[in-house]
Structure formats: C-alpha cells, structure tokens
Amino acid sequence: MSIQPFTIQIPQAELDELQARLERTRWPDELPGVGWDYGVPLDYVKELAAYWRGGYDWRTWEARLNQYPQFTTTIDGQNIHFLHVRSPEPNALPLILTHGWPGSIVEYLDIIEPLTNPRAHGGDPADAFHLVIPSIPGFAFSGPTRETGWNRYRTARAWAELMSRLGYDRYGAVGNDAGSFISPELGRHAPDHVVGVHVTQIFSFPSGDPAEFEGLSEKDQAALEHLQWFWQKMSAFNQLQSTQPQTLAFALLDSPTGQLAWNAQLFRELDPDFILTNVMLYWLTGAAASSARFYYEDAHAEHPTEPTTTPIGVAICAGDFQSIRRFAERDHKNLIHWSEFDRGGHYAAHQAPDLLTGDVRKFFRNFR
C-alpha cells in the first residue's frame, strides 16, 4: 500500500553508452525513390539519429519531468510509476490521464499547467483538475511486467486501486491511443467512482452489415478509406506486437536506432525533441519487450460484449484516426459529447494542447 517518492536520475554512464551505440549504427540499404512505402525512410531516421547524437539534451527533459512530483507504488504485484500534480484550487476534480504506444507520460506535459491551474492560464478556476498521470504497466518506469495478463482490463483495475490509494473517491479519466481503450474500462470497472471518460479515439468499426453504410456521408466514407489505408500500410507494429513481441524485442533492445525507427513510424512530422524524449523512456528503461507485450495481452484477452455505462466524450483532431460517429454511437449508448477539430493530430495533448485542454474542461463541466 505504500507510495514512494521517485526522481528520474539516469547515470551518465548510460548516456555515454547510448552515444557509443549511436555512433556504431549499421545503416540498412534502401531502394531509391520509394519514400515511406517500404517503411520508415533511411534519411528520416538518419536525421533524427544525428540530432540525438549532437543536439538533443536528455538532461533538459529529465529536469522538466522532475519538475512534477513523481511516485511509485506496487499494485497487483506490479510496480506503477506516476506523476501526481495537485491543483492549487481546493475544489479541483481529480483526473487520471493514460497514454499509449509509442507514447508515454511525455504526451501530457504541455497540458499539466493549464489543467491544474487554469487561473494562471486565462481560464476559469472552477475548471481545475488534480492530475494523476501513470505509465502503463510495462512502459517506462512502470516496467517491466513480470507476469502475463497485463491487458487493458487489468490496467483499468490497477488505475482504480491507484486512485483509491491516493484518496480519490470521485474522479474522471482521460485517454489517448491505448489510453482510449483503458479509460472506458476504468469506467466499467469503477462506475460508482468514475464520473466521466474523455478520449481522443473511439475504435468502433463497421460490422459488415450493408445497411450500416446507407446514407454514410462523404466525410465518413473518407474516414473509412483513411482507416483502411492505415491498416494496410501502417499496421505492422500492431500485427507483430500482438503476435511476436519477444522476437521483436531482441532487435529493439540491442539498438537505439532500431528502437527509434520502430517508434518513429507513428511519430511522423512531429518535432524531434518530442520524438526522442518518448524514445528515451523506452530505451533507458529497457521497455521494448514489456511495452510490446501490452498488444499481445490485449489481443488475447476475453473482451466484454456489453457496453460501458459511464458517460463518454470524444475529441477528434485532424490527422488522427477519424472516429465515425454512427458506429461510435452504435457501440456506446453513453456517448454524450462529440467534438471535431480542424488541426491537431494523434498526440493532441502535444500537438494541440489548447484544443484538448478546452475540450476536457468543457466535457467535465457536466460532472462538477
């Protein structure tokens, strides 16, 4: 039951070893003119790796992370690492925010201050939140997992215990990517405590019934085509991590450039510091295998068929999976809030922090 303070302190020897490995990278060949068709391009990874060696400063990001109170605790036999940032406002609503892969707690750094202290950021102090931002079991400083079964459902149960352990009886949940799977399950597991769930994706797809496509708007048809393109061109990470995570881990854990390329396939067009800080949390903690195992565990879990009942809100940003409202409302009768934005991306908390902050505030006003 104990909660221990935690500070990130990476030994210099580990950073020196990383530099040495980067300098010894064996680069693969590449066919000319193929762009991203065969995977992450050589020039893209070379450019990132050059900045990693000669421009990126881990100590700056380590200090930024350490600005916020961090802790570890053991739940269900598993170490859990989390940020816990309390608002100066006494009536703030607690929120637990969950990242995904290949992200980390770094996803949420840009919205910590406006969510916890809206008064200092031009907002209404009545919209303040206390924030709990854990690393998923097997990811970063919550890793590695030591036994099978750490899927979305077991993680949600651990989150409920974490919030209880912190003394929070009534709280909301926010999620992106894998967090958009975990957060609704937290609402399912603890409906008497979770007042609402806000996510950036609703993964609801057509059932195959032709009637579901009748009257589908051009925008929704385009969203389906984008989804089909993603699964045909970009789903290698899902397929491999759901079936052979251990095989993959040998390559990633032995090569920082390999870890960078594997993660960077889903970081396209993001700023180098954000990409590399996320990758560093995988490399420095040796989380290649245990983070990939989340996909395997989830793919092999027994999934409930009944819908959740906790109210759900969704914020959809341009450039992300375009959740389709017709299918989302079919699967989630408790969907009470739907926002669509013309900018942002998959990592909305970083790419459009103002939009996500505003939408989270708006949604949870229903439950103050």
Side-chain angles (χ1 to χ4, degrees):
M1 295 292 289
S2 66
I3 295 175
Q4 303 295 327
F6 181 85
T7 302
I8 302 172
Q9 296 176 310
I10 301 301
Q12 185 59 41
E14 293 190 23
L15 302 182
D16 294 342
E17 193 226 6
L18 169 61
Q19 283 291 318
R21 285 175 175 267
L22 288 170
E23 290 168 4
R24 297 196 305 269
T25 298
R26 296 179 64 195
W27 296 104
D29 69 331
E30 182 179 61
L31 294 173
V34 298
W36 285 75
D37 289 348
Y38 284 69
V40 183
L42 179 61
D43 286 346
Y44 177 74
V45 180
K46 276 191 169 182
E47 184 177 349
L48 284 170
Y51 178 63
W52 203 358
R53 291 196 313 272
Y56 175 79
D57 184 3
W58 163 254
R59 294 301 186 196
T60 296
W61 286 92
E62 183 180 70
R64 184 176 177 189
L65 286 162
N66 283 333
Q67 288 177 352
Y68 301 108
Q70 299 176 63
F71 304 89
T72 60
T73 191
T74 300
I75 298 175
D76 193 11
Q78 175 64 36
N79 179 63
I80 302 294
H81 163 261
F82 60 98
L83 306 184
H84 186 198
V85 188
R86 292 187 59 84
S87 171
E89 304 296 339
N91 296 320
L93 177 68
L95 282 186
I96 182 166
L97 288 72
T98 308
H99 65 86
W101 185 94
S104 68
I105 58 173
V106 173
E107 288 185 33
Y108 292 115
L109 289 180
D110 294 331
I111 63 173
I112 290 176
E113 296 297 333
L115 286 181
T116 57
N117 193 5
R119 188 191 301 269
H121 293 267
D124 185 344
D127 285 328
F129 299 95
H130 302 307
L131 300 184
V132 179
I133 310 175
S135 298
I136 295 172
F139 287 67
F141 298 104
S142 285
T145 45
R146 302 293 185 184
E147 57 186 16
T148 61
W150 278 102
N151 51 44
R152 73 179 80 173
Y153 309 106
R154 190 171 180 181
T155 301
R157 294 194 297 270
W159 281 188
E161 171 59 24
L162 176 60
M163 296 303 276
S164 174
R165 197 170 291 186
L166 293 172
Y168 294 135
D169 183 66
R170 184 177 182 273
Y171 53 89
V174 169
N176 178 53
D177 195 85
S180 287
F181 288 130
I182 294 166
S183 297
E185 295 309 321
L186 176 56
R188 184 198 304 275
H189 175 71
D192 294 336
H193 302 283
V194 180
V195 298
V197 172
H198 185 282
V199 296
T200 41
Q201 299 91 22
I202 295 286
F203 297 98
S204 293
F205 309 120
S207 66
D209 182 354
E212 287 194 327
F213 297 92
E214 293 179 4
L216 203 63
S217 69
E218 289 186 9
K219 182 185 71 173
D220 286 345
Q221 289 177 13
L224 276 178
E225 291 172 3
H226 177 72
L227 181 65
Q228 184 177 26
W229 169 86
F230 183 88
W231 287 114
Q232 289 177 343
K233 298 292 188 180
M234 299 290 291
S235 64
F237 73 95
N238 189 299
Q239 294 296 321
L240 189 50
Q241 293 183 167
S242 295
T243 57
Q244 294 281 304
Q246 192 65 32
T247 304
L248 171 67
F250 288 99
L252 302 188
L253 195 62
D254 196 50
S255 169
T257 308
Q259 183 79 71
L260 171 62
W262 186 249
N263 289 37
Q265 61 184 306
L266 297 184
F267 283 138
R268 189 173 177 177
E269 299 179 354
L270 286 161
D271 57 283
D273 275 83
F274 180 78
I275 295 172
L276 291 172
T277 304
N278 277 286
V279 172
M280 284 290 274
L281 288 187
Y282 288 75
W283 177 258
L284 294 173
T285 62
S290 56
S291 61
R293 282 197 294 267
F294 178 86
Y295 280 74
Y296 184 95
E297 302 294 354
D298 216 60
H300 292 79
E302 183 177 342
H303 298 288
T305 56
E306 70 278 6
T308 62
T309 58
T310 302
I312 292 179
V314 60
I316 302 167
C317 286
D320 195 9
F321 302 106
Q322 293 301 295
S323 303
I324 298 173
R325 190 165 189 169
R326 175 184 295 188
F327 305 134
E329 290 179 338
R330 176 200 65 198
D331 296 340
H332 299 278
K333 305 302 183 185
N334 49 337
L335 187 59
I336 67 167
H337 174 94
W338 187 277
S339 297
E340 297 184 22
F341 299 105
D342 60 2
R343 58 185 174 87
H346 186 63
Y347 303 94
H350 174 70
Q351 294 174 278
D354 58 327
L355 296 182
L356 187 63
T357 295
D359 206 67
V360 167
R361 289 173 177 171
K362 182 179 180 180
F363 173 70
F364 282 104
R365 284 173 193 148
N366 295 300
F367 313 107
R368 294 284 181 172

